[in-house]
Amino acid sequence: MDNSSSSRPPGTPVTGWRSIQWWPALLGLAFATFLAIDLFSGAEHGTDFAAVVAASGLVYLAAASLEVPWISWPVFLLSVAIITVARLGLIPLEATWLMLMVAGFFAAYGVIRALRRPNHDLPLQATAMVAFGGSAVLALFVNPALGALLVAVGLFAHAGWDAYHHVNNKVVVRSMAEFCFVLDGVLATAIVIATLRSV
């Protein structure tokens, strides 16, 4: 029996190791491994994951725009659906562009809501979306090796973003921050290894 949780007064914030739930980390590891299989088999290239960088920013922007932390999970699933549909060729657009369009919708909605009620998280998350989305777009227009490394840098940077939000329990639910931290970090590492092996 864990006496530490029973001895903690009600309402006390959960911090440090106690804030880690583990199942999101394991899910993130499984998802990253699934993506890395295609990467190492040659079926995918590092730049093919540019949309993942844009999606990582989108998840946080959507949660900030709506001011609903748990919405990060449905938006993540939406991003997976968009990437899948685009990869299957059912939409004649690269998934990264679609992510930016959806991000534009959430940003506009967030600004409209902020006119009636201040939203202190929206400006920072909108700026982050521009940074992550911009790096994803740039990766599509440079040579493949450099593009892949740009995607990896974007993912590593977002892993740091995840860690910050997990520790401070801000914007998204902690399970999403934990999941995304592992997914971003592992996938970025796989992209770097696969890219360096191919040059």
Side-chain angles (χ1 to χ4, degrees), residues 75-88 91 98-99:
V75 174
F76 168 76
L77 294 176
L78 172 65
S79 71
V80 171
I82 291 172
I83 292 172
T84 302
V85 169
R87 292 252 178 106
L88 293 174
I91 299 177
L98 295 170
M99 294 296 168

Side-chain angles (χ1 to χ4, degrees), residues 30-39 44 49 52 87 183 187:
F31 199 73
T33 302
F34 172 75
L35 295 176
I37 289 172
D38 282 345
L39 188 64
E44 299 279 2
F49 297 102
V52 177
R87 292 252 178 106
L183 170 60
L187 182 57

Side-chain angles (χ1 to χ4, degrees), residues 132 153-164 177 180-182 184-186:
F132 291 118
V153 168
L155 289 171
F156 277 129
H158 199 268
W161 196 245
D162 296 321
Y164 168 80
C180 205
F181 171 79
V182 176
D184 292 343
V186 173

